[in-house]
Amino acid sequence: MSGNDRLKWMILLTVIIGTFLGRLDQTVVSLAVPKIMDDFSITTSDAGWISTAYILANAVFVPIWGKLGDTRGRKLVYLWGFIIFIVGSILAGFAWDIGSMIFFRIIQAVASSADYPTAMAILTITFTDRKERGRALGIWSSAFAASAVFGPLIGGPLIDNFGWRSVFLINLPIGIIGIIMALNYIPESVSDRRSETFDWYGAISLGTALALLVLGLDRGYDWGWTSLPIITSFLGSVIFFYVFYLIDSRHPEPVIDFRYLRIPSFFHSLGNNFMVFMCMMGVIFLIPIFDQTFLGYTATETGLQFIPFACFMIMGALFGSSFIGKVKARYVIASSTFLAAVGVYLFVGLDPRSSTWDVIIPFSVMALGMGLGMAQRTVTITSLVPPEEIGSASAVLALVRNIAGAFGIALFTTILNNSIEDNVIALSTYSSIYLHTSPVMKTVTGLIILDAQILSYHTIFVVAAVILVGASALALLIESKDDRKEEQKEIVEM
């Protein structure tokens, strides 16, 4: 292996560490949520904002960092992201209530959002050969799953033995390693199309629109769907989305270039990504709560269930990347998404008597399906735009994935709460009680609430599976430039 080849793979390893760190934080925090809920005396809906605020802030700043990386320097942006993330992690480790936790999580998210667009652009300009680039992006994508392996292995014991605060402080040593490697291996690069302007007003209007949308979804159950605050939230979200469109459709350097959305395959690919990540983040958020609430598992035991999930996603990502240039992207993405739908549907069998295998098997099938299409989803997006716009396009992809995650957590939590109330009413209506003593009534009430909660989780899994089937059908409309080249090549050979 030549020195240049060694440098390329060291660059890949360096950005994998950055991606691993950001995703490790999300995985570990999901395990810590039940403990944080107890410590801060908050509800599931309140706890959802620990993840939702992170995802929203990450979504808003991804395109900002992506644009700054293209124009000011990708290595510079990448390093600043690392430094700020470490500071935010330390602060989160000393949070004293839900308000401070959310604020420090936002700092973490702002920093973490620098990784995705800059890493993707760095890899794209480092690996110029199409197949080699696909393999590199596939390996990089597997870092998302690797974080789910080490998250439980590191986070579970830390939470059980040292408390939830330790999962934030562990980011310090990993972050220092990442900074040292980035300083030594990543070369500085900028887009050929440098700019001196940035769409701050567009970013602010987008962030406001997203925050109002998620606020409405998250609080609709508690405040009432027809209450003035909720109606105002949704109306405000629509207005700010429209303002964002007006600004970005005219700005020379928009946060989201709406030209991309006029490319049919780009739009269809984003739609598939949105539905897949919405379901994945929603399920990943709710499963630890189900485990620790109904199955009585500790954080460590819950975390261990994520290891097969991560292993199958890694295998899927590596195997799926081998199809690049051999099988049309739309077929790989569609079949992988459908397999993920099957995995999610298998969760419908969960109840308080379920074993750990009843969680691991659906998790593994879901992970394998999502992993198989991971590299293809990423490569398809990069193939549809000019090389100098890859940073901006990947930022749009990351933005959509993060919005999907926030939307998924808020939507599924809302469906869960509404479904529990409906199920309690239905079960109470059709239940017959022949002995109305206090102990009996207390027992019956407890059983009705338990059944209502379990059935509500089943509803979530059915809804998620249906959404993924729709995402699979949408994927069949995707056509990358590489697919068109292969078709033209086949026609010429005929």
Side-chain angles (χ1 to χ4, degrees):
M1 182 183 291
S2 66
N4 185 52
D5 287 336
R6 280 195 297 271
L7 177 61
K8 288 194 296 186
W9 293 105
M10 285 306 297
I11 291 172
L12 172 62
L13 178 60
T14 301
V15 299
I16 282 176
I17 290 177
T19 300
F20 172 83
L21 181 63
R23 302 310 173 272
L24 176 72
D25 187 72
Q26 289 183 328
T27 303
V28 171
V29 171
S30 294
L31 291 176
V33 163
K35 299 291 186 182
I36 296 174
M37 288 171 60
D38 291 339
D39 202 6
F40 290 161
S41 299
I42 56 177
T43 65
T44 302
S45 182
D46 294 328
W49 279 95
I50 296 173
S51 296
T52 301
Y54 183 98
I55 294 171
L56 274 177
N58 193 283
V60 172
F61 277 87
V62 159
I64 295 176
W65 287 119
K67 184 67 69 175
L68 289 176
D70 284 347
T71 58
R72 300 295 191 269
R74 289 154 185 153
K75 179 177 181 178
L76 177 65
V77 168
Y78 187 86
L79 284 169
W80 270 110
F82 250 122
I83 294 169
I84 299 173
F85 182 82
I86 292 173
V87 173
S89 297
I90 294 173
L91 291 173
F94 291 99
W96 55 90
D97 59 18
I98 186 62
S100 62
M101 170 61 74
I102 291 173
F103 179 73
F104 297 143
R105 288 287 286 165
I106 290 173
I107 293 177
Q108 281 188 292
V110 169
S112 177
S113 60
D115 164 68
Y116 190 93
T118 52
M120 192 169 177
I122 288 168
L123 291 179
T124 301
I125 64 173
T126 300
F127 294 89
T128 54
D129 178 75
R130 181 169 64 89
K131 290 186 178 180
E132 192 177 52
R133 179 190 299 166
R135 188 162 63 253
L137 289 173
I139 295 172
W140 174 62
S141 298
S142 68
F144 290 85
S147 66
V149 172
F150 289 95
L153 289 176
I154 297 172
L158 281 176
I159 294 167
D160 288 335
N161 293 294
F162 302 102
W164 60 262
R165 297 179 187 276
S166 60
V167 302
F168 294 103
L169 301 178
I170 195 65
N171 291 333
L172 178 60
I174 302 175
I176 291 174
I177 294 172
I179 290 173
I180 294 172
M181 293 188 68
L183 286 169
N184 283 282
Y185 296 114
I186 296 179
E188 187 58 280
S189 63
V190 295
S191 171
D192 293 334
R193 295 174 56 186
R194 298 198 60 168
S195 171
E196 299 300 325
T197 63
F198 187 78
D199 184 15
W200 293 108
Y201 292 113
I204 292 171
S205 59
L206 175 61
T208 304
L210 291 173
L212 288 172
L213 173 62
V214 176
L215 175 65
L217 289 170
D218 184 71
R219 294 299 179 182
Y221 176 79
D222 296 327
W223 296 349
W225 293 105
T226 58
S227 66
L228 182 60
I230 295 301
I231 293 175
T232 302
S233 294
F234 287 134
L235 182 60
S237 178
V238 171
I239 292 172
F240 276 101
F241 269 124
Y242 183 65
V243 170
F244 169 68
Y245 171 76
L246 292 178
I247 293 172
D248 268 37
S249 60
R250 300 170 185 174
H251 198 280
E253 296 291 338
V255 172
I256 293 180
D257 193 332
F258 286 100
R259 290 181 301 136
Y260 299 153
L261 302 183
R262 298 190 189 101
I263 303 172
S265 290
F266 194 98
F267 181 79
H268 297 145
S269 182
L270 287 182
N272 175 269
N273 273 276
F274 182 90
M275 289 187 278
V276 167
F277 276 79
M278 176 178 70
C279 295
M280 182 173 74
M281 292 303 298
V283 170
I284 287 176
F285 176 77
L286 291 174
I287 285 297
I289 297 175
F290 185 95
D291 277 354
Q292 295 179 47
T293 302
F294 300 107
L295 302 183
Y297 293 158
T298 64
T300 300
E301 291 169 335
T302 301
L304 291 174
Q305 293 180 339
F306 280 81
I307 295 177
F309 171 86
C311 291
F312 276 92
M313 184 170 276
I314 291 173
M315 288 189 293
L318 295 176
F319 186 55
S321 65
S322 68
F323 292 129
I324 295 175
K326 300 177 182 177
V327 181
K328 292 178 181 178
R330 60 176 174 266
Y331 297 140
V332 177
I333 297 173
S335 57
S336 68
T337 306
F338 185 81
L339 181 59
V342 173
V344 170
Y345 185 76
L346 292 176
F347 279 119
V348 172
L350 287 180
D351 62 39
R353 297 165 296 180
S354 296
S355 68
T356 189
W357 286 106
D358 294 322
V359 178
I360 289 175
I361 292 174
F363 242 162
S364 300
V365 176
M366 180 182 105
L368 180 62
M370 290 181 172
L372 281 170
M374 193 70 75
Q376 293 279 14
R377 291 186 183 95
T378 304
V379 172
T380 297
I381 290 293
T382 61
S383 75
L384 294 169
V385 299
E388 66 271 12
E389 296 181 14
I390 287 175
S392 298
S394 61
V396 173
L397 175 60
L399 172 66
V400 167
R401 286 178 173 179
N402 280 306
I403 292 173
F407 189 81
I409 292 173
L411 177 65
F412 289 159
T413 302
T414 298
I415 294 174
L416 181 68
N417 289 330
N418 287 335
S419 183
I420 289 174
E421 182 176 328
D422 292 341
N423 287 333
V424 166
I425 295 173
L427 289 170
S428 300
T429 301
Y430 294 103
S431 296
S432 298
I433 304 173
Y434 299 101
L435 186 62
H436 294 273
T437 63
S438 179
V440 170
M441 292 301 295
K442 185 176 180 180
T443 300
V444 170
T445 300
L447 289 173
I448 287 176
I449 293 174
L450 176 63
D451 286 346
Q453 291 173 325
I454 299 300
L455 290 173
S456 298
Y457 274 92
H458 293 175
T459 299
I460 292 293
F461 300 135
V462 170
V463 170
V466 170
I467 291 172
L468 287 172
V469 170
S472 176
L474 182 62
L476 294 174
L477 301 176
I478 298 172
E479 184 180 18
S480 69
K481 285 186 177 180
D482 293 335
D483 288 343
R484 289 198 293 269
K485 288 178 182 178
E486 290 297 325
E487 288 178 352
Q488 292 170 357
K489 182 180 178 181
E490 291 174 3
I491 292 173
V492 171
E493 290 176 350
M494 289 175 62

